[in-house]
Amino acid sequence: MEFTVPAKLPEIPGAIDIDDLVAEFEQSNEVSEAITKGRQWVAKCFYSNQPASIALLRLQKGWSQVELAKRASTSQPHIARIELGNVDPQVSTVKKLARALGVPVEVILEAISPEDEQ
């Protein structure tokens, strides 16, 4: 049985978009710190046995895709496409990601092309 998502989800009265809710919570230093620690926990518990990835590097910092996008001067959808492997970033983007994440360019290259390591 296949599951398909409708093109436009029905609006539920009083519902809040999860991204908007997290952005609102991140305005509070206390809650923001808890969200950061939660992302770091996710990296440790769910990504530690996998090859390095942009998502892992980002989560280890406790950052959302939005935060990485800001720090790398790109957009959140572009970060999502890179993390999913749907796009090969330009060299300039690789450099920006490395600078933002505080890692060498080589680490980013390995993270975006783990299949090349074999």
Side-chain angles (χ1 to χ4, degrees):
M1 179 164 116
E2 281 189 41
F3 176 77
T4 57
V5 177
K8 175 139 171 81
L9 294 175
E11 290 191 29
I12 300 170
I16 299 172
D17 180 84
I18 187 70
D19 294 326
D20 294 340
L21 182 63
V22 171
E24 182 181 325
F25 283 154
E26 287 181 324
Q27 299 304 310
S28 160
N29 288 336
E30 187 177 312
V31 177
S32 180
E33 186 177 322
I35 292 171
T36 295
K37 288 180 180 181
R39 288 183 180 122
Q40 292 168 333
W41 177 83
V42 167
K44 181 180 175 185
C45 292
F46 296 100
Y47 286 81
S48 63
N49 294 329
Q50 299 179 13
S53 66
I54 300 299
L56 171 61
L57 296 169
R58 172 179 60 76
L59 290 169
Q60 286 174 332
K61 295 277 190 184
W63 296 347
S64 65
Q65 289 180 344
V66 171
E67 182 65 24
L68 177 55
K70 285 180 193 174
R71 291 174 182 254
S73 302
T74 189
S75 68
Q76 179 276 322
H78 191 59
I79 295 296
R81 288 189 297 272
I82 292 169
E83 288 186 0
L84 290 170
N86 293 342
V87 65
D88 280 331
Q90 295 181 354
V91 173
S92 60
T93 302
V94 170
K95 288 179 179 179
K96 289 177 185 179
L97 289 170
R99 197 169 23 256
L101 291 163
V103 298
V105 169
E106 294 79 14
V107 171
I108 301 299
L109 292 174
E110 289 175 19
I112 62 175
S113 54
E115 69 279 352
D116 293 346
E117 294 176 9
Q118 298 177 21

